[in-house]
Amino acid sequence: MGKYNPANRCAAGAARLACLPSLTRCIVKNADLLLTNGVFLTMDEEYHVYSPGAMAVREGRIAAIGPQMEVEAGFQAVERFDCGGRVVIPGLVNAHTHAAMTLLRGLADDMRLDVWLLGYMFPVEREFATPDFVRLGTRLACAEMIRSGVTCFADMYYFEEDVAAATAEAGMRALCAQTVLKFPSPDAQSFEDSLAASREFIKRWKDHPLVVPAVGPHSPYLCTADMLRQSAELAAEFDVPLHVHLAETALEVENSRREHGMPVIPYVKKQNLFDAKVLAAHCVHIDEGEMRTLLHYNVGVAHNPSSNMKLASGFAPVVKMLETGLAVGIGTDGPASNNDLDMFEETRLAAFIAKGQSGMPTALPARMALTMATRLGAKALYMGDRIGSLEPGKSADVAVVDLSTLHNSPSFSHSTDALYGQLVYTAHASDVTDVMVSGRWLMRGRALQTLDEAELVRQAREVAKRIDTFLIERETSVFSKLVAIGGATEGESFEVQVKVRLADREGVVRALGAEPFSVLRARRYREYDTYFVFDDPAQGRLRYREDEFVGEDGEVYNVRYRLTLTGQARDQSYAASILVSRSRFIAPATHSLRFYREYFQPAREIEIRKDRRRWLVHYHDTEFFINLDQVSQPKLPGYFLEVKSRTWSRIDAENKAKLIVEMLKDLGLDTAQAVGAEYVQIADPPA
Amino acid sequence: MGKYNPANRCAAGAARLACLPSLTRCIVKNADLLLTNGVFLTMDEEYHVYSPGAMAVREGRIAAIGPQMEVEAGFQAVERFDCGGRVVIPGLVNAHTHAAMTLLRGLADDMRLDVWLLGYMFPVEREFATPDFVRLGTRLACAEMIRSGVTCFADMYYFEEDVAAATAEAGMRALCAQTVLKFPSPDAQSFEDSLAASREFIKRWKDHPLVVPAVGPHSPYLCTADMLRQSAELAAEFDVPLHVHLAETALEVENSRREHGMPVIPYVKKQNLFDAKVLAAHCVHIDEGEMRTLLHYNVGVAHNPSSNMKLASGFAPVVKMLETGLAVGIGTDGPASNNDLDMFEETRLAAFIAKGQSGMPTALPARMALTMATRLGAKALYMGDRIGSLEPGKSADVAVVDLSTLHNSPSFSHSTDALYGQLVYTAHASDVTDVMVSGRWLMRGRALQTLDEAELVRQAREVAKRIDTFLIERETSVFSKLVAIGGATEGESFEVQVKVRLADREGVVRALGAEPFSVLRARRYREYDTYFVFDDPAQGRLRYREDEFVGEDGEVYNVRYRLTLTGQARDQSYAASILVSRSRFIAPATHSLRFYREYFQPAREIEIRKDRRRWLVHYHDTEFFINLDQVSQPKLPGYFLEVKSRTWSRIDAENKAKLIVEMLKDLGLDTAQAVGAEYVQIADPPA
């Protein structure tokens, strides 16, 4: 099954073409289709170019490819396709994407990764990602990819079986990985669910001619060690690929070092991840030792130039990875972080970035970039035997490109490099005119053959409208935004509370040590509160609270972060400024203050810092919290005593209010000294 | 002349629109054209968006812009244009290009900057750049730019008057800078010529409605200090801009520090460059102090993302420049280093790179990127009062973009950011449907109105064919390639030469100190020769020679680099291996060995190193050079004596050959010991 060699001619004079072993005898053979009059860039190991060339297709595979005269002499075909002098290349391989996210493209840009992901992608997916959504999004993606010359892609998403079905219907080829996550996802309540779903999916699609099913443990940071292990075992059991994000950001590597004592690649290796045929997306932050590990385990890598820049993940060491010998393909990543599926743009960027980053304009030349987008991508997806170059025996997956358009003019032919250069540096996705997968036309003369483009655009518009409505409603409500990022537990709590100002605290501390008080627990901590205030007071105030617990020795032994959304309106007030306030929402604050600031976009912020001594006491058979606060920001003279108790009924609240009035007397204080305001109101009095 | 404000209504109920002062009275006014039913992104300081909006055009200028109902109530127009819900933006400003280089796009890629420039661009321009070439290239560029929504560009090239004429004919707006260089260019034999041409050009075009003439001293490294000064004076005299490349590469800055003791910006400031209204392309390698200098002098900056990556110049500090307050526009640079004129791609890349480089996905958000491509670009070109935003009084320069195409689907509207994001991250140049400059349609429904696209493509193809022929011919000849990079002087020299092997050198050195020898000069140096050998022996061998001159004290006091192309064939040989060889070509080697290696692409290389003592002697009234060599690479035992003399006639050569035979006897040597081979032949004997 050799390459075409003009010296290999058989006696009868007919060409001995590069062809299938079964077709090598020198008689005129039948083919289903003959593509003629094209410039064929085979992208094979020797980079053969046939101009004018021809290609014979039989049963979806390339039966022969070579100089036009010789292929025409060797084959007769039912159908002929005149390439009109255009360039024929192997269909491009998009080595990493989340196809259905076409429906989320442009939803949110220019944001921090966590705000983007936790504030927008995940909440919208929780609300909208259904099998129908996934099918529509995948169809839209297939339409866009076919238009831009892509014939195969590697996917990872939810309801992956629907991705597979939509892809197969569109006639495209794909590696489809069912996502496995450590938290509930739109298609699985637990890890066990998603692994079981992956198993069933793999079983059902294992022998499909176009779809290669796979398991997709999202990443080491969104999977437990056990999930990585079990995913690898599943993939190995069925000999299917495993698709994963590895070392995408510096933070991920930093966290891996801190949590596991090693960077990402050694960590996942330790979990036996590489027992499977791994396709690793990103690999932005890996060193040469890790590259050698990846090579040793034959790991395929997907480089995602646009996404890595747009999400500011960094510049992947592509030149080094290629030098190491890794099969590095090129991917668009999901269209929500790109924001398109344009492999022409990605291929150009791969070459551009390598040059810009290395300071060497000779780095990653055009031919190599195109190799990544075709042959190396196919290899990274473990499909190198079937696709990625135009060679006899491989599937007839091709894209026809018109390089005679205005922005491609003129063309130079003094060197074959100019042809690769033109495809990579000048050609646009819109120059693709015809696309074929497995011998079936998916686009002819720029018209899609398997998908109704106008209908897809119409349906996508409907979905976008619904998402817009969801987001507009959410954006108007701090409450909804808090719900949207998850983790927060809704709960209404009523609190009975009084606050009294006092000049010194010794009297109170002494009184608490004696009857009728009985101290159950005593604590000391420093509280740092940041209140987000919004233009519309009805939104309430959101408090980001950081508590540093201070031990007997004066050392901080614990820190707690909490978010609390409090309604502006007082719900009920009793005698002596004893309040009942309703905390509408309390949640652990798992992200940084900066995250919440960017996400909630408050109109103003108010900071309050205090040193607090806190006692849980029994007083006349009732539990109360007593806080003795010294407020340093804003600087308030003296001390504040707060008495608080949670309550779930109005009658209980009234009883407690009466007890508090008594208690203040026992502490030598007067209800007349009560302050009818929260600290935030003292710090920021209403205008 | 305020922005539209719904509160500003006049008594009669008609809208008081953002409009020209002369049109503010509340009566229905006449307009030449009314654009309706569009989403108008004004890109003004307050980023007004009118959806649905309308715009009234009168005498090429924007008479009013605002909500559709209000504009329609205020104006009646002869012509109406329904934007069909598409997005209307200010025409994009390409802040730096060499438009006519469309004709050289894809000519050579993936090369070192010097090889690309000195080996390809300059030689081809020397051969092909004529007024016709420039007009055709500019027309081709205008066609491509109009197609991608560009309405104005800043150019620098040769025969700039032809650029101006072609641009004006196409109806586009441009800043056209006549190149000033320190070496002869296609349009000027000397600096004085080009400055005089610039003056005439400026005089003739100063008041043109579309073209702003300018002077273009190429860069501080390709201009002398005097040229920079005189260019600035000329620009200041006529109050026209000065277009220049500044701090494009780290090497440029390094050289500036070495040669002038300061980086590029202070150096050009010292030459009073900033007396002119400067538009500085690139500014990749400048620090914050230099940015403040640029700001102080109101310098406009053109950022060129693709070119800076493709030529590996680096990543410009765009975010810092914007923070400093500089007007930073976006340019494509010439299409030979991009390889297109796609401002959508450049704008996207500007945003992408800023994020990737800073590690902040919030850096350079979409709206800011689009501002650079419009309003800031206009400001950088000193046209901020006329173009760059859609505001009353400004020129009606607009692009209409269809964001309903497949790769743009779906669109979100929950935030106005989504619209800017879509234009920057998702939209392609091919989504532009209509373009207008000064109220004149240059493209309608994707059909160019002022240029014959098919004819341009055809003519460009003809030029490319001629360039291909030139390059193919050149590529086949080492000689032509050497000529092409310039600096080499052709000269035929005949050399009489003998080489004798000897075991030790003491006898020779002693003999030279006595009669009949008289030593005129003695030198010692180390010679490092690298021979490039080509597959075709007829090409000759090219020697890259590095001589280290060693003084009495053993220190190297001078280094010389030379290139010599020697024909393989011996021209004539005399008795006792006394040769006459013809050195066809000698040139100073001003570039590195690596440059020549990449440029000449030899099949093999041979290295020879020797320690040489060299005497110029008088011997029987004739001058001879005597070399006493010890060859260390390849390691050759003993010493070699060479006797050489240049000659220009065969008779002289024969006489000298006889003298050499005698001389050898006087030196106690035997002509029988003569070696009939050059060192390179000894090192690399023929197979």
Side-chain angles (χ1 to χ4, degrees):
Chain A
M1 192 164 68
K3 308 298 175 308
Y4 170 71
N5 179 347
N8 292 342
R9 290 168 180 285
C10 47
R16 183 166 176 264
L17 293 163
C19 51
L20 282 171
S22 60
L23 298 170
T24 45
R25 277 169 304 144
C26 289
I27 49 170
V28 173
K29 287 278 171 188
N30 289 322
D32 301 327
L33 171 68
L34 214 54
L35 285 92
T36 60
N37 190 26
V39 179
F40 285 78
L41 260 71
T42 65
M43 300 308 290
D44 64 17
E45 296 274 352
E46 283 85 26
Y47 294 98
H48 284 112
V49 175
Y50 303 111
S51 176
M55 187 173 103
V57 178
R58 211 172 73 157
E59 291 171 2
R61 295 205 289 168
I62 299 169
I65 182 163
Q68 172 152 330
M69 282 183 60
E70 311 204 4
V71 175
E72 290 215 279
F75 286 86
Q76 58 186 26
V78 183
E79 190 192 337
R80 293 172 66 93
F81 179 83
D82 184 337
C83 299
R86 295 196 295 276
V87 174
V88 185
I89 58 173
L92 302 176
V93 177
N94 183 349
H96 177 66
T97 190
H98 313 285
M101 292 180 87
T102 41
L103 289 174
L104 304 181
R105 92 164 97 225
L107 182 70
D109 297 306
D110 302 320
M111 290 177 181
R112 280 164 46 108
L113 185 60
D114 49 1
V115 176
W116 179 76
L117 204 61
L118 303 171
Y120 289 84
M121 293 302 125
F122 285 171
V124 170
E125 285 176 339
R126 263 201 294 277
E127 188 75 16
F128 290 93
T130 61
D132 282 347
F133 175 97
V134 166
R135 284 193 187 231
L136 173 61
T138 304
R139 278 193 206 103
L140 194 67
C142 286
E144 186 182 348
M145 286 194 277
I146 293 167
R147 279 216 164 285
S148 54
V150 175
T151 54
C152 176
F153 62 99
D155 192 72
M156 181 200 288
Y157 206 55
Y158 312 114
F159 303 106
E160 196 65 32
E161 186 140 12
D162 293 281
V163 174
T167 303
E169 275 172 33
M172 281 188 80
R173 192 180 297 281
L175 180 161
C176 294
Q178 168 66 34
T179 299
V180 172
L181 276 178
K182 73 178 173 190
F183 48 73
S185 63
D187 62 348
Q189 278 305 304
S190 72
F191 159 59
E192 288 75 14
D193 287 357
S194 63
L195 202 71
S198 299
R199 174 176 289 271
E200 289 311 306
F201 168 53
I202 291 167
K203 274 189 188 167
R204 277 193 294 268
W205 288 80
K206 215 178 132 20
D207 300 313
H208 193 278
L210 290 173
V211 170
V212 174
V215 59
H218 180 280
S219 58
Y221 60 93
L222 292 186
C223 290
T224 64
D226 187 48
M227 291 178 193
L228 296 176
R229 279 176 186 276
Q230 290 197 43
S231 297
E233 280 166 20
L234 177 65
E237 180 186 340
F238 288 96
D239 191 30
V240 295
L242 181 152
H243 192 178
V244 65
H245 300 91
L246 291 183
E248 181 173 0
T249 67
L251 183 67
E252 176 189 347
V253 176
E254 193 185 309
N255 287 343
S256 179
R257 282 186 191 277
R258 208 183 47 238
E259 290 168 28
H260 311 300
M262 61 188 91
V264 171
I265 304 302
Y267 167 70
V268 300
K269 179 189 156 199
K270 202 176 150 199
Q271 314 316 326
N272 298 333
L273 195 77
F274 300 137
D275 284 0
K277 302 190 296 191
V278 172
L279 167 60
H282 302 300
C283 298
V284 176
H285 300 276
I286 62 173
D287 65 21
E288 289 179 48
E290 292 172 284
M291 291 177 204
R292 283 191 294 274
T293 301
L294 296 181
L295 182 69
H296 178 78
Y297 290 102
N298 198 32
V299 171
V301 175
H303 171 45
N304 302 273
S306 284
S307 173
N308 290 167
M309 283 206 284
K310 187 161 189 293
L311 299 177
S313 311
F315 301 109
V318 175
V319 172
K320 274 265 173 296
M321 288 197 275
L322 290 169
E323 278 172 8
T324 306
L326 283 167
V328 186
I330 297 174
T332 59
D333 206 350
S337 64
N338 183 304
N339 291 345
D340 58 29
L341 294 162
D342 185 340
M343 278 291 290
F344 278 84
E345 188 185 4
E346 293 307 314
T347 307
R348 176 159 51 249
L349 278 183
F352 275 3
I353 292 173
K355 296 170 199 303
Q357 188 193 11
S358 67
M360 299 279 293
T362 52
L364 228 176
R367 195 177 79 172
M368 190 62 203
L370 194 62
T371 306
M372 291 172 74
T374 53
R375 178 155 45 81
L376 283 185
K379 194 175 169 200
L381 268 62
Y382 303 89
M383 297 185 187
D385 57 334
R386 270 170 289 168
I387 58 166
S389 58
L390 303 182
E391 295 179 76
K394 285 199 173 179
S395 183
D397 294 15
V398 305
V400 184
V401 190
D402 181 3
L403 295 182
S404 71
T405 53
L406 177 72
H407 61 264
N408 276 300
S409 293
S411 307
F412 293 94
S413 58
H414 61 94
S415 149
T416 52
D417 284 347
L419 193 53
Y420 296 103
Q422 197 179 12
L423 277 164
V424 171
Y425 299 126
T426 314
H428 293 181
S430 56
D431 297 325
V432 176
T433 57
D434 305 84
V435 172
M436 169 183 285
V437 169
S438 243
R440 178 189 183 194
W441 288 112
L442 305 189
M443 181 162 79
R444 278 192 82 155
R446 291 199 171 86
L448 296 180
Q449 303 294 298
T450 57
L451 291 159
D452 181 345
E453 189 173 329
E455 177 60 16
L456 289 175
V457 169
R458 196 195 60 74
Q459 288 181 22
R461 199 177 296 142
E462 291 304 310
V463 173
K465 260 188 212 161
R466 288 194 287 125
I467 295 175
D468 268 332
T469 305
F470 169 77
L471 285 177
I472 288 166
E473 189 184 316
R474 195 191 77 169
E475 295 292 319
T476 61
S477 155
V478 174
F479 175 77
S480 302
K481 285 185 80 167
L482 188 63
V483 174
I485 52 173
T489 48
E490 196 166 2
E492 302 203 349
S493 77
F494 294 83
E495 210 163 41
V496 183
Q497 176 183 328
V498 72
K499 183 185 268 129
V500 179
R501 203 158 190 166
L502 54 162
D504 95 306
R505 57 184 169 186
E506 297 314 311
V508 169
V509 173
R510 256 197 318 274
L512 287 176
E515 286 291 331
F517 294 96
S518 157
V519 172
L520 301 175
R521 198 166 70 218
R523 276 200 181 152
R524 199 184 138 209
Y525 51 91
R526 289 191 287 270
E527 193 177 322
Y528 303 85
D529 291 341
T530 304
Y531 284 87
F532 289 171
V533 183
F534 303 92
D535 283 334
D536 172 11
Q539 296 288 346
R541 278 189 304 257
L542 188 73
R543 179 179 64 183
Y544 174 85
R545 172 171 166 179
E546 198 175 326
D547 294 340
E548 284 185 354
F549 292 88
V550 182
E552 300 285 323
D553 54 359
E555 294 291 307
V556 174
Y557 65 91
N558 192 17
V559 186
R560 181 178 60 183
Y561 306 92
R562 288 206 306 202
L563 277 183
T564 312
L565 181 65
T566 318
Q568 187 80 339
R570 292 180 194 173
D571 288 303
Q572 182 91 26
S573 97
Y574 294 85
S577 294
I578 297 166
L579 311 174
V580 175
S581 68
R582 193 173 67 160
S583 288
R584 292 202 305 196
F585 233 87
I586 300 177
T590 50
H591 309 299
S592 70
L593 177 58
R594 196 158 67 114
F595 167 87
Y596 295 115
R597 183 177 291 139
E598 285 186 30
Y599 178 66
F600 286 106
Q601 305 268 341
R604 284 184 304 122
E605 293 180 27
I606 303 159
E607 277 189 38
I608 294 178
R609 291 188 199 163
K610 52 182 176 279
D611 199 283
R612 167 168 287 184
R613 297 186 67 182
R614 180 180 180 85
W615 294 269
L616 175 59
V617 299
H618 244 125
Y619 179 78
H620 296 304
D621 290 336
T622 309
E623 281 189 8
F624 286 94
F625 279 105
I626 296 178
N627 300 327
L628 200 53
D629 295 342
Q630 186 172 20
V631 180
S632 58
Q633 163 70 23
K635 187 85 190 156
L636 299 180
Y639 299 89
F640 290 87
L641 178 98
E642 281 187 341
V643 183
K644 289 185 177 187
S645 185
R646 285 266 166 91
T647 180
W648 293 100
S649 87
R650 305 251 153 178
I651 292 161
D652 179 64
E654 284 173 17
N655 288 335
K656 282 179 173 165
K658 282 177 199 156
L659 274 175
I660 286 176
V661 175
E662 277 183 53
M663 190 196 289
L664 288 179
K665 282 179 197 155
D666 285 340
L667 289 170
L669 301 170
D670 189 349
T671 49
Q673 293 161 289
V675 180
E678 296 175 43
Y679 291 124
V680 64
Q681 291 168 315
I682 297 168
D684 184 56
Chain B
M1 193 164 70
K3 309 295 174 311
Y4 169 71
N5 178 345
N8 292 341
R9 286 168 183 285
C10 46
R16 181 162 177 265
L17 293 162
C19 50
L20 282 172
S22 60
L23 298 171
T24 46
R25 276 170 303 140
C26 290
I27 49 169
V28 174
K29 285 277 167 191
N30 288 324
D32 300 326
L33 172 68
L34 213 53
L35 285 93
T36 61
N37 191 24
V39 178
F40 285 78
L41 261 71
T42 64
M43 299 308 290
D44 63 18
E45 296 274 352
E46 284 85 26
Y47 293 99
H48 284 112
V49 175
Y50 303 111
S51 176
M55 187 173 104
V57 179
R58 214 173 72 157
E59 291 170 3
R61 295 204 289 168
I62 299 170
I65 183 164
Q68 172 152 333
M69 281 181 61
E70 312 206 1
V71 176
E72 289 215 280
F75 286 86
Q76 59 186 24
V78 183
E79 190 193 338
R80 292 172 67 94
F81 179 84
D82 184 338
C83 299
R86 295 196 295 276
V87 175
V88 185
I89 58 173
L92 302 176
V93 177
N94 184 348
H96 177 65
T97 189
H98 312 284
M101 292 180 87
T102 42
L103 289 174
L104 304 181
R105 89 165 99 225
L107 181 71
D109 297 306
D110 302 321
M111 291 177 181
R112 279 165 46 109
L113 185 60
D114 49 2
V115 176
W116 178 76
L117 205 61
L118 303 171
Y120 290 85
M121 294 303 126
F122 285 170
V124 170
E125 285 176 339
R126 264 202 293 275
E127 188 74 18
F128 291 93
T130 62
D132 282 348
F133 175 97
V134 167
R135 282 192 188 234
L136 173 60
T138 303
R139 277 192 206 106
L140 195 67
C142 286
E144 186 183 349
M145 285 194 276
I146 294 168
R147 279 216 163 286
S148 55
V150 175
T151 54
C152 176
F153 63 99
D155 193 73
M156 182 199 289
Y157 207 54
Y158 312 115
F159 303 106
E160 195 65 32
E161 186 141 12
D162 293 281
V163 174
T167 302
E169 273 171 33
M172 279 188 82
R173 191 181 298 281
L175 182 160
C176 293
Q178 168 65 34
T179 300
V180 172
L181 276 178
K182 73 178 173 189
F183 48 73
S185 63
D187 62 348
Q189 278 306 305
S190 71
F191 159 60
E192 289 74 15
D193 287 357
S194 62
L195 202 71
S198 299
R199 174 177 288 271
E200 290 309 307
F201 167 53
I202 291 167
K203 273 189 189 165
R204 278 194 293 270
W205 287 79
K206 216 180 131 18
D207 300 313
H208 194 277
L210 291 173
V211 170
V212 173
V215 58
H218 180 280
S219 57
Y221 60 93
L222 292 187
C223 290
T224 63
D226 187 48
M227 290 180 194
L228 296 176
R229 279 177 186 276
Q230 290 197 44
S231 297
E233 280 165 21
L234 177 64
E237 179 185 342
F238 289 95
D239 191 31
V240 295
L242 181 152
H243 193 179
V244 63
H245 300 91
L246 291 183
E248 181 172 2
T249 67
L251 182 66
E252 177 189 345
V253 177
E254 194 185 309
N255 288 343
S256 178
R257 282 185 192 280
R258 208 183 48 237
E259 288 168 30
H260 310 300
M262 61 189 91
V264 172
I265 305 300
Y267 168 69
V268 299
K269 179 187 156 198
K270 203 175 149 198
Q271 313 317 324
N272 298 334
L273 196 77
F274 299 136
D275 284 359
K277 301 190 297 190
V278 172
L279 167 61
H282 303 301
C283 297
V284 175
H285 300 276
I286 62 173
D287 64 22
E288 290 178 48
E290 292 170 285
M291 290 177 204
R292 282 191 295 274
T293 301
L294 297 181
L295 182 69
H296 177 77
Y297 290 102
N298 198 32
V299 170
V301 176
H303 171 46
N304 302 273
S306 284
S307 173
N308 291 166
M309 284 206 284
K310 187 161 189 292
L311 299 176
S313 309
F315 301 108
V318 175
V319 173
K320 273 266 172 295
M321 287 197 275
L322 291 170
E323 278 171 7
T324 305
L326 284 167
V328 186
I330 298 174
T332 59
D333 207 348
S337 64
N338 182 306
N339 289 352
D340 57 28
L341 294 163
D342 185 341
M343 278 292 290
F344 278 84
E345 187 184 6
E346 293 308 314
T347 307
R348 177 160 51 249
L349 278 182
F352 275 3
I353 292 171
K355 296 170 199 302
Q357 188 193 11
S358 67
M360 299 282 293
T362 52
L364 227 176
R367 196 178 78 174
M368 189 63 206
L370 194 62
T371 306
M372 292 172 73
T374 54
R375 179 155 44 82
L376 284 185
K379 194 176 169 198
L381 268 62
Y382 303 90
M383 298 186 188
D385 56 334
R386 268 170 290 168
I387 58 165
S389 58
L390 304 181
E391 294 180 76
K394 285 198 174 181
S395 182
D397 293 16
V398 305
V400 184
V401 190
D402 181 4
L403 295 181
S404 71
T405 53
L406 177 72
H407 61 264
N408 275 302
S409 293
S411 308
F412 292 95
S413 58
H414 61 92
S415 148
T416 51
D417 285 346
L419 193 54
Y420 297 102
Q422 196 179 12
L423 276 164
V424 172
Y425 299 125
T426 314
H428 293 181
S430 57
D431 297 326
V432 177
T433 57
D434 305 84
V435 171
M436 169 185 283
V437 170
S438 244
R440 176 188 184 195
W441 289 113
L442 306 188
M443 181 163 78
R444 279 192 81 156
R446 291 201 171 83
L448 295 180
Q449 303 295 298
T450 56
L451 291 159
D452 181 345
E453 188 173 331
E455 177 59 17
L456 289 174
V457 169
R458 195 195 60 71
Q459 289 181 22
R461 199 178 295 139
E462 291 306 310
V463 173
K465 259 189 213 160
R466 289 193 288 125
I467 295 175
D468 269 331
T469 306
F470 167 77
L471 285 177
I472 288 165
E473 190 184 313
R474 194 191 78 170
E475 295 292 317
T476 61
S477 155
V478 173
F479 174 77
S480 303
K481 284 183 81 168
L482 188 63
V483 174
I485 52 172
T489 48
E490 200 168 359
E492 301 202 351
S493 77
F494 294 84
E495 208 164 41
V496 185
Q497 174 183 333
V498 72
K499 186 186 264 125
V500 180
R501 203 157 190 166
L502 53 162
D504 95 306
R505 57 183 169 186
E506 296 316 309
V508 169
V509 174
R510 255 196 321 273
L512 286 176
E515 287 290 333
F517 293 97
S518 157
V519 173
L520 301 175
R521 196 166 70 219
R523 277 201 180 151
R524 198 183 138 210
Y525 52 89
R526 289 191 286 269
E527 192 177 325
Y528 303 86
D529 291 341
T530 304
Y531 285 87
F532 290 170
V533 182
F534 303 92
D535 284 333
D536 172 11
Q539 296 290 344
R541 278 189 304 255
L542 189 72
R543 179 178 64 182
Y544 173 85
R545 172 171 165 180
E546 196 175 328
D547 293 340
E548 284 185 354
F549 291 89
V550 182
E552 299 286 323
D553 54 357
E555 294 291 307
V556 174
Y557 67 90
N558 193 17
V559 186
R560 182 177 59 183
Y561 306 92
R562 288 210 304 205
L563 277 183
T564 314
L565 181 64
T566 319
Q568 188 80 340
R570 290 182 199 171
D571 289 301
Q572 182 92 27
S573 98
Y574 295 85
S577 294
I578 296 167
L579 310 175
V580 173
S581 66
R582 193 173 69 160
S583 287
R584 291 202 307 195
F585 234 87
I586 301 178
T590 51
H591 308 300
S592 71
L593 177 58
R594 195 158 67 113
F595 168 88
Y596 296 114
R597 181 179 292 139
E598 285 185 30
Y599 179 66
F600 286 105
Q601 303 268 342
R604 285 184 304 121
E605 291 178 29
I606 304 158
E607 277 189 38
I608 295 176
R609 292 187 200 167
K610 52 181 177 280
D611 199 283
R612 168 167 287 182
R613 296 186 67 181
R614 181 178 178 86
W615 294 269
L616 176 60
V617 299
H618 247 124
Y619 178 79
H620 295 304
D621 290 334
T622 308
E623 281 190 8
F624 286 95
F625 280 104
I626 297 179
N627 299 328
L628 200 52
D629 296 341
Q630 185 172 21
V631 180
S632 58
Q633 162 70 22
K635 186 83 190 160
L636 299 180
Y639 298 89
F640 290 87
L641 178 99
E642 281 186 343
V643 181
K644 289 186 177 183
S645 185
R646 285 265 168 91
T647 180
W648 293 100
S649 86
R650 304 251 155 180
I651 293 160
D652 179 65
E654 283 173 19
N655 288 337
K656 282 180 175 165
K658 282 177 201 157
L659 273 175
I660 286 176
V661 175
E662 277 183 52
M663 190 196 291
L664 288 178
K665 283 179 198 154
D666 286 339
L667 289 169
L669 300 169
D670 188 350
T671 51
Q673 293 162 290
V675 181
E678 296 173 43
Y679 291 125
V680 64
Q681 291 168 316
I682 298 168
D684 183 55

